[in-house]
Amino acid sequence: MIKLRRSESFKLVGYFTEMLSQHPLPSSCDNNIADIEDIVTDSVSLSEHQRVGYKTHIVPRARKIKSSSIKSHQNGINSHRGVIAKDGSTADHVDGLTQRDSYVPGTQKIYVRTWGCSHNNSDSEYMAGQLAAYGFKITDEKDEADLWLLNSCTVKNPAEDHFKNSIKEARLKGKSLVLAGCVPQGQQKSDYIQGLSVIGVQQIDRVVEVVEETLKGNSVQLFGQKRASGKKSGGADLSLPKIRKNPLIEIIAINTGCLNQCTYCKTKHARGDLGSYPPEDIINRARQSFEEGVVELWLTSEDLGAYGHDIGVTLPQLLWRLVEVIPEGAMMRLGMTNPPYILEHLEEVAKILDHPRVYSFLHVPVQSASDSVLMDMKREYCVADFKHVVDFLREKVPDVNVATDLICGFPTETEEDFEESMELVEQYKFASLFINQFFPRPGTPAFKMQRIPGNEVKERTKAVSKLFQSYHPYTHKLGQIQDVLVTEISHDGQYYVGHNKCYDQVLVPMYENLMGKKVRVEIVETGKHFMKGKPVTDSATESLPVQQPHVPAPLKKGQVSGMARTSANVEQTLRSEGWWYWLGLLPLAVAIGYMILLNLITDDTTLNVLI
């Protein structure tokens, strides 16, 4: 008798399932297998790839739908007969509606909407990838979707208002709803999320379960934190399937949460304290991304500079290891970091930003140029610290681009405080400046502070915006020759969008075969927020000097990351490890064949394969 290792059994089950899908049984048997995972005993725990990767081949038989359920579904009612709590138990929540009696997994369409930062966008990519890998169809047409997955942002009031409006719209249109992101995570008792399914920011690896239960008519709320060795971890596994919004760009959240307690910040309530991913997980994800044709890697988090404080690793240690796996011609972009933590590693960070495969760009929010306001915000630095960061990077990194943020109208900001912020903008003339009105977020200390009159806040916002628009940061670059990595199409569809070494936006004519490549251009026009480049022709060859990054062709739009490689690895392993795999399939095939035959004889409507 041949004994198989557990991992080998998984490979056999997946491969045999794929064989069945490619060579289907006669039509009378097509829909008889309820769930191929029932072959595996309850004591075996499937990995995420195994759990979702093989599900696409399963075609279950639906039960007959009662007429009352049909009527309920046609009327767009999302019933909530069962509410599944954090621990997975079902609580009583009866509102007179009936639960749907039939549900065929993986056949519905899902609409995903995202607000907020690149971390949120990465979460949505992972959730869409898992749903698509399971068999759901991801659609951009919200009216065609059976369920809306809304991933929210809690930084500003307007973003939450848009989120609420989308919930109302979904309900009016009779759509099933799953809420995600920082709003429900940070405001778990809000009236408007009660009775709706919610997936927490660290529970995105369970999105398939939540969506399935919601489509059945249950309400599921999962808010728990991931932990590793007794500490909060970065979150869901970075190796999960994902659908990249842009197949050329990979977003990796290297940590979640932060070490600060800013008095105005609601995101802290949702993302919590710092939780960092191990360097090896991040590097493996980056390596896989480049193997799938990615040419631009974004590192993101609530505070990049705080990375590793909880696991004994520093940000420069991670970055130097990542630089080693970036292929020639590809680029890496660093995300946002607060001044206190970048000060610890300023020398090393400057060297990394000067590396040819790293954009000379860093986002360092100052929020205010008044030390008294910074103290009231609990920002843990003074304006001199911020200036030191900018001055040092501008000295050490040629043409570095430091972006920053300002909050106008914080409750304790006086006219003198605001003038100091104006002077800072005048002095440094930031090419990228994000100007925000203060929004009092419920539950934060600043929410209880006496506010500046709204008209005064608007006047200050207009004043700093006018100052920002008064200078043009790219005029001196007119006529320069620059190498630009092309990754996007402009909103008007008239140009390709690329970025030069310091991550300035450069519009490029839509010549053939430029997407995903580096092209040399001459800057022929500059504006406030962009430059236009004309590709330079090589005088000797009369051709465009285009560099193809050392990566394969990218995945197609909407293709799930990681799934094709997983199937190929299983097939390669089967071929390499010999004949006994096929022999191991024999008793499995006999058992399934016997039960199918038994099912035909008894004319049963459902076949459950159990071992």
Side-chain angles (χ1 to χ4, degrees):
M1 181 176 179
I2 296 173
K3 298 180 71 174
L4 302 181
R5 298 189 299 270
R6 181 179 297 176
S7 61
E8 294 161 353
S9 300
F10 289 149
K11 295 174 184 176
L12 288 175
V13 172
Y15 192 74
F16 188 73
T17 307
E18 189 167 345
M19 289 173 59
L20 287 176
S21 70
Q22 294 173 354
H23 305 285
L25 297 170
S27 58
S28 60
C29 304
D30 274 352
N31 297 328
N32 287 339
I33 296 179
D35 193 340
I36 199 68
E37 281 183 8
D38 290 338
I39 293 172
V40 184
T41 62
D42 291 338
S43 62
V44 177
S45 176
L46 290 172
S47 72
E48 186 64 26
H49 277 305
Q50 291 156 342
R51 179 168 44 153
V52 302
Y54 301 141
K55 282 277 191 178
T56 55
H57 306 293
I58 300 165
V59 185
R61 181 185 292 278
R63 292 174 292 169
K64 291 184 178 179
I65 305 176
K66 296 179 182 178
S67 59
S68 61
S69 293
I70 296 174
K71 184 177 180 181
S72 171
H73 180 69
Q74 289 173 340
N75 290 337
I77 297 174
N78 180 19
S79 70
H80 305 284
R81 193 173 78 178
V83 178
I84 300 179
K86 299 177 186 179
D87 59 359
S89 60
T90 304
D92 293 332
H93 184 83
V94 182
D95 55 8
L97 302 176
T98 57
Q99 190 180 28
R100 295 186 183 122
D101 293 307
S102 177
Y103 164 69
V104 181
T107 61
Q108 288 75 22
K109 293 182 179 180
I110 312 295
Y111 168 68
V112 181
R113 173 101 188 256
T114 309
W115 292 266
C117 64
S118 54
H119 194 162
N120 254 24
N121 279 275
S122 176
D123 286 351
S124 289
E125 290 181 351
Y126 274 120
M127 289 190 284
Q130 293 171 81
L131 292 168
Y134 186 74
F136 289 106
K137 299 175 180 65
I138 307 301
T139 179
D140 292 330
E141 301 297 328
K142 60 184 180 181
D143 289 336
E144 296 179 3
D146 299 284
L147 179 143
W148 289 14
L149 173 57
L150 305 178
N151 192 5
S152 59
C153 172
T154 192
V155 172
K156 303 178 188 177
N157 293 1
E160 184 174 351
D161 291 340
H162 287 308
F163 177 60
K164 289 180 180 179
N165 290 337
S166 291
I167 293 174
K168 293 177 183 177
E169 182 185 359
R171 282 173 154 168
L172 287 172
K173 293 182 176 181
K175 305 297 183 181
S176 296
L177 266 172
V178 173
L179 310 182
C182 292
V183 171
Q185 180 76 47
Q187 300 169 222
Q188 299 176 17
K189 296 183 179 180
S190 293
D191 291 340
Y192 68 91
I193 72 169
Q194 300 309 309
L196 296 177
S197 288
V198 179
I199 184 162
V201 294
Q202 286 209 311
Q203 297 292 323
I204 62 171
D205 55 337
R206 300 184 65 184
V207 66
V208 170
E209 302 167 54
V210 175
V211 166
E212 280 195 302
E213 290 299 326
T214 303
L215 287 167
K216 291 175 185 176
N218 293 319
S219 176
V220 186
Q221 297 195 348
L222 301 175
F223 290 112
Q225 285 189 349
K226 303 286 186 193
R227 304 189 74 82
S229 302
K231 296 180 179 180
K232 178 186 174 183
S233 67
D237 196 328
L238 291 179
S239 65
L240 289 169
K242 68 157 49 176
I243 296 178
R244 298 184 184 95
K245 184 177 180 181
N246 184 336
L248 296 171
I249 298 175
E250 169 71 8
I251 307 171
I252 302 180
I254 65 173
N255 55 277
T256 188
C258 68
L259 295 172
N260 292 344
Q261 298 288 342
C262 299
T263 56
Y264 58 83
C265 181
K266 185 70 176 179
T267 306
K268 178 75 173 186
H269 294 194
R271 297 285 181 176
D273 294 328
L274 180 67
S276 302
Y277 283 101
E280 209 60 44
D281 291 359
I282 299 167
I283 293 162
N284 288 339
R285 182 73 211 190
R287 187 180 285 114
Q288 177 193 331
S289 302
F290 291 126
E291 290 171 358
E292 294 175 336
V294 163
V295 298
E296 193 168 282
L297 175 65
W298 293 4
L299 300 187
T300 186
S301 74
E302 282 66 57
D303 190 345
L304 209 72
Y307 171 80
H309 277 245
D310 54 327
I311 58 173
V313 182
T314 67
L315 178 64
Q317 287 172 343
L318 171 68
L319 297 180
W320 283 124
R321 292 187 62 186
L322 279 170
V323 164
E324 294 174 2
V325 304
I326 301 174
E328 190 65 34
M331 298 294 289
M332 178 170 71
R333 190 195 81 171
L334 305 189
M336 189 272 288
T337 177
N338 285 310
Y341 305 108
I342 201 65
L343 281 167
E344 301 175 15
H345 312 295
L346 206 49
E347 188 83 39
E348 286 298 298
V349 168
K351 293 177 183 177
I352 291 164
L353 292 178
D354 201 29
H355 192 281
R357 294 194 294 275
V358 180
Y359 286 119
S360 303
F361 169 86
L362 197 62
H363 181 190
V364 188
V366 64
Q367 306 300 10
S368 173
S370 164
D371 286 342
S372 63
V373 174
L374 291 174
M375 184 178 298
D376 292 335
M377 291 178 171
K378 290 193 175 179
R379 291 290 290 168
E380 300 184 6
Y381 60 87
C382 60
V383 70
D385 294 328
F386 173 80
K387 289 182 176 181
H388 174 63
V389 169
V390 179
D391 292 341
F392 186 89
L393 293 178
R394 287 187 174 183
E395 177 186 351
K396 299 293 183 180
V397 185
D399 208 24
V400 69
N401 182 359
V402 178
T404 194
D405 299 3
L406 275 179
I407 295 176
C408 298
F410 186 79
T412 63
E413 181 185 70
T414 64
E415 277 290 344
E416 292 75 17
D417 296 327
F418 176 69
E419 283 303 319
E420 291 184 69
S421 294
M422 292 282 283
E423 290 170 8
L424 182 77
V425 175
E426 179 68 41
Q427 178 183 353
Y428 286 94
K429 291 183 169 57
F430 303 101
S432 298
L433 176 63
F434 304 97
I435 303 166
N436 304 290
Q437 291 184 45
F438 169 75
F439 288 102
R441 303 297 290 131
T444 63
F447 182 79
K448 299 177 181 179
M449 296 179 182
Q450 184 174 353
R451 298 170 203 168
I452 298 172
N455 61 336
E456 178 62 27
V457 174
K458 290 180 180 179
E459 287 301 317
R460 293 181 188 181
T461 305
K462 288 179 182 178
V464 71
S465 297
K466 183 178 179 180
L467 173 59
F468 176 57
Q469 295 295 332
S470 69
Y471 60 86
H472 293 78
Y474 303 130
T475 304
H476 67 287
K477 297 186 178 184
L478 191 64
Q480 287 185 3
I481 304 297
Q482 299 181 351
D483 290 329
V484 174
L485 179 59
V486 178
T487 56
E488 301 173 81
I489 297 175
S490 62
H491 293 300
D492 61 8
Q494 301 300 308
Y495 295 92
Y496 283 140
V497 177
H499 294 90
N500 58 16
K501 176 64 168 69
C502 53
Y503 205 69
D504 298 325
Q505 181 173 269
V506 181
L507 303 180
V508 180
M510 299 181 75
Y511 293 175
E512 189 177 0
N513 296 325
L514 290 187
M515 184 60 73
K517 299 179 178 65
K518 271 190 177 179
V519 59
R520 185 158 293 173
V521 302
E522 178 186 359
I523 303 302
V524 295
E525 183 182 342
T526 64
K528 174 61 182 177
H529 303 288
F530 70 92
M531 294 179 281
K532 287 184 180 178
K534 177 183 177 182
V536 177
T537 303
D538 189 301
S539 57
T541 62
E542 296 296 326
S543 61
L544 295 178
V546 175
Q547 179 188 3
Q548 170 66 58
H550 295 176
V551 298
L555 301 180
K556 295 179 180 178
K557 183 80 171 177
Q559 187 173 350
V560 181
S561 166
M563 300 308 296
R565 190 179 69 161
T566 300
S567 300
N569 287 349
V570 171
E571 184 172 351
Q572 181 180 1
T573 303
L574 284 171
R575 289 175 176 173
S576 65
E577 296 202 19
W579 59 270
W580 58 274
Y581 271 102
W582 296 101
L583 185 60
L585 280 176
L586 184 59
L588 182 63
V590 170
I592 293 178
Y594 172 76
M595 300 189 77
I596 290 174
L597 181 61
L598 183 64
N599 183 63
L600 288 174
I601 293 172
T602 59
D603 196 30
D604 194 4
T605 58
T606 306
L607 172 65
N608 292 313
V609 181
L610 297 174
I611 293 181

